[in-house]
Amino acid sequence: MANYTEVRYINAYVSGSAAPMMASKTQRKQSAAMPKFRPKRKVVIAVDPVAIFGIIVAFVMAVMLMVGFMTLNRVNEEAIVMEQYVTALQEENVSLLTTYDNGYDLEQVRQIAQAMGMVSIDQVPHISLDVSVPVQEAQPTAWEAFLTFLTGLFA
């Protein structure tokens, strides 16, 4: 017995709509034993390794930050000591310059120089020389040298 389809948009009989023969109820299929479902063991990691790595990196960076601050403080202290040293050297330089300037008398130095036979710059004759640098001839370029070679070759 052919059944019509239950689909509403098909109104005509279709050859494939025949119901297949049903197996008799007397024949029973042997049922296969289904395998028992064994849930897979879940691997449980108590602590996330990425989180541990992040904590270690944060700790190392914090230690490096503290070391950097200590180094910065030490360098600042050394800079203060060097500034004080420079100030002391400048003061010493001023005192040494005054000692040097007061250590000799210009009139006494002039008398010693005249006694040694030295004369002042106004009494020395001056000779001025004009020195002119000769102009060098320009070296020929590579193209000019090539043309000269060709002219000599075919002349």
Side-chain angles (χ1 to χ4, degrees):
M1 209 166 130
N3 290 333
Y4 287 103
T5 60
E6 301 246 346
V7 180
R8 301 243 180 217
Y9 61 86
I10 298 177
N11 294 328
Y13 173 77
V14 179
S15 65
S17 65
M21 291 282 295
M22 297 294 290
S24 68
K25 292 184 179 181
T26 59
Q27 292 178 348
R28 291 194 173 192
K29 291 183 181 177
Q30 291 182 352
S31 61
M34 295 292 290
K36 292 183 180 179
F37 177 71
R38 292 182 184 160
K40 293 183 179 179
R41 292 182 130 187
K42 293 183 180 178
V43 178
V44 178
I45 300 175
V47 180
D48 188 16
V50 175
I52 294 296
F53 179 72
I55 291 170
I56 290 171
V57 168
F59 179 73
V60 168
M61 290 178 72
V63 169
M64 291 175 65
L65 182 68
M66 297 304 265
V67 169
F69 278 137
M70 289 188 293
T71 305
L72 180 65
N73 285 336
R74 188 179 71 241
V75 168
N76 283 338
E77 290 171 0
E78 289 177 6
I80 291 171
V81 169
M82 286 297 132
E83 287 176 3
Q84 292 172 352
Y85 183 65
V86 166
T87 304
L89 286 178
Q90 287 174 344
E91 291 172 0
E92 183 181 356
N93 188 24
V94 169
S95 66
L96 289 175
L97 282 175
T98 56
T99 303
Y100 176 73
D101 289 339
N102 295 334
Y104 62 88
D105 184 19
L106 289 178
E107 185 60 32
Q108 183 183 8
V109 171
R110 188 182 61 75
Q111 289 175 357
I112 293 172
Q114 285 178 350
M116 293 174 65
M118 295 184 184
V119 293
S120 66
I121 195 167
D122 300 335
Q123 298 173 354
V124 178
H126 295 287
I127 302 172
S128 54
L129 299 172
D130 291 330
V131 178
S132 61
V133 178
V135 179
Q136 295 181 351
E137 295 181 17
Q139 295 291 330
T141 62
W143 179 251
E144 292 172 346
F146 178 70
L147 290 178
T148 304
F149 171 74
L150 288 179
T151 304
L153 187 64
F154 295 113

